[in-house]
Amino acid sequence: MRNKLIVANWKMNFTVSEALKFIAGLPREAKMELEDAEVVICPPFTALYALDEAIEGIPFQLGAQNMHWEESGPFTGEISPLFLKEMNIKYVILGHSERRQHFQETDSTINKKLALALQQKLIPIVCIGETVSDHKEGQTFEVLEGQIKKILDGQLKADLGSLVWAYEPIWAIGTGKNASPEQSQEVAQWMRKLIAKILDAPTAESMRILYGGSVSEEKARGFLKQPDIDGLLVGGASLDPKKFADIIMSAAPAQ
Ligand code: PGA
């Protein structure tokens, strides 16, 4: 069975003190162990160390928002997965659409980052998604298929079961517009079939697929009810302790 995953992507928000204030301000019930669900906070790099201490006793995991595809070298300003490993970081987001849009990331750089993340036993959260024009022109599946194939190309199959995909339609990120739970289920189910063809069915079954794009506390449960949606990647709503707590609680079994 695949555990549900609720991931906070704080993007370029929160200083160290603001990050600590957020954790302190989260309602108690959101900081308790959840059955079959995991919570991951992806703060800016600068807050990772302080958060690692602050979440002691809270069953959260930490994730980074990016990493480089080399272990070390002349890459001023970049972060190696080795730095993350030493800090207890378990997850790393790769290929977020904002990194593709503003920092020239491509499926080919994401492919290299994925290979190193897996080799370093970090759990990758790989983002894919179509633009608004792809969506309008009915190109969604074609675009996603291209991204998936390029990102998986040459990867070692034995390592890939832990991979987490985040399906984030670009037109839904930060816009208040969502894919509907049914649309996201259709895409996630289709992705699983495609990956089963490219790799094999057991690997496709063990991969988790998240939905991301304007997830709100009101809509979270609708997505999590879908059989192929294993969790959520949350941007804006993850910056508000009350809203994020409600999203976490939506992964708890209904009372
Ligand atoms: P959003 O961001 O929830 O603010 O739309 C999601 C993301 O970019 O991962």
Side-chain angles (χ1 to χ4, degrees):
M1 206 190 94
R2 300 183 298 264
N3 266 359
K4 294 267 188 259
L5 198 56
I6 305 294
V7 184
N9 175 13
W10 284 356
K11 310 189 180 184
M12 198 175 72
N13 293 291
F14 288 171
T15 63
V16 174
S17 54
E18 286 166 342
L20 295 175
K21 203 166 136 205
F22 175 94
I23 298 293
L26 265 184
R28 218 179 115 257
E29 68 270 19
K31 297 192 235 185
M32 316 270 270
E33 190 82 45
L34 283 175
E35 213 183 306
D36 304 325
E38 211 177 337
V39 177
V40 181
I41 309 281
C42 302
F45 292 122
T46 42
L48 281 168
Y49 193 79
L51 278 190
D52 186 34
E53 287 186 354
I55 61 169
E56 213 185 309
I58 304 174
F60 289 176
Q61 298 291 341
L62 291 177
Q65 297 175 16
N66 181 30
M67 56 167 249
H68 197 261
W69 62 79
E70 295 280 351
E71 287 182 2
S72 64
F75 300 104
T76 301
E78 287 293 322
I79 296 285
S80 157
L82 302 184
F83 308 164
L84 303 175
K85 290 283 290 183
E86 202 186 66
M87 281 205 298
N88 264 330
I89 310 305
K90 194 168 166 193
Y91 288 86
V92 60
I93 299 175
L94 299 178
H96 190 280
S97 63
E98 288 152 13
R99 297 219 46 94
R100 293 172 187 256
Q101 188 188 344
H102 305 298
F103 304 100
Q104 290 76 46
E105 289 210 12
T106 61
D107 293 322
S108 132
T109 54
I110 298 161
N111 175 292
K112 289 198 272 181
K113 291 180 180 202
L114 173 61
L116 186 58
L118 291 171
Q119 188 194 322
Q120 290 298 330
K121 306 274 180 263
L122 286 162
I123 303 179
I125 301 171
V126 180
C127 302
I128 56 171
E130 78 283 5
T131 63
V132 69
S133 55
D134 299 331
H135 178 64
K136 283 193 182 141
E137 288 160 21
Q139 299 289 305
T140 298
F141 292 105
E142 216 171 304
V143 168
L144 294 177
E145 181 165 348
Q147 293 175 339
I148 291 170
K149 285 187 167 158
K150 283 188 208 135
I151 291 169
L152 289 180
D153 186 39
Q155 308 288 351
L156 291 178
K157 193 156 87 176
D159 295 337
L160 284 169
S162 69
L163 194 158
V164 179
W165 294 99
Y167 168 54
E168 297 206 305
I170 297 171
W171 48 270
I173 296 179
T175 58
K177 293 186 195 136
N178 301 103
S180 68
E182 294 72 24
Q183 277 171 325
S184 63
Q185 163 60 22
E186 188 192 351
V187 171
Q189 189 180 32
W190 168 87
M191 283 172 64
R192 230 181 269 291
K193 278 202 192 125
L194 175 73
I195 295 163
K197 258 197 260 165
I198 301 171
L199 301 168
D200 57 45
T203 309
E205 276 305 307
S206 67
M207 287 176 168
R208 285 176 288 181
I209 301 178
L210 316 182
Y211 169 77
S214 298
V215 170
S216 66
E217 64 285 16
E218 290 98 13
K219 293 182 188 148
R221 215 178 269 279
F223 289 106
L224 292 171
K225 271 202 299 222
Q226 306 301 319
D228 284 285
I229 299 289
D230 305 307
L232 301 166
L233 181 53
V234 189
S238 75
L239 298 172
D240 178 319
K242 171 79 183 66
K243 288 183 185 168
F244 191 57
D246 286 349
I247 294 173
I248 293 176
M249 296 318 292
S250 65
Q255 302 299 317

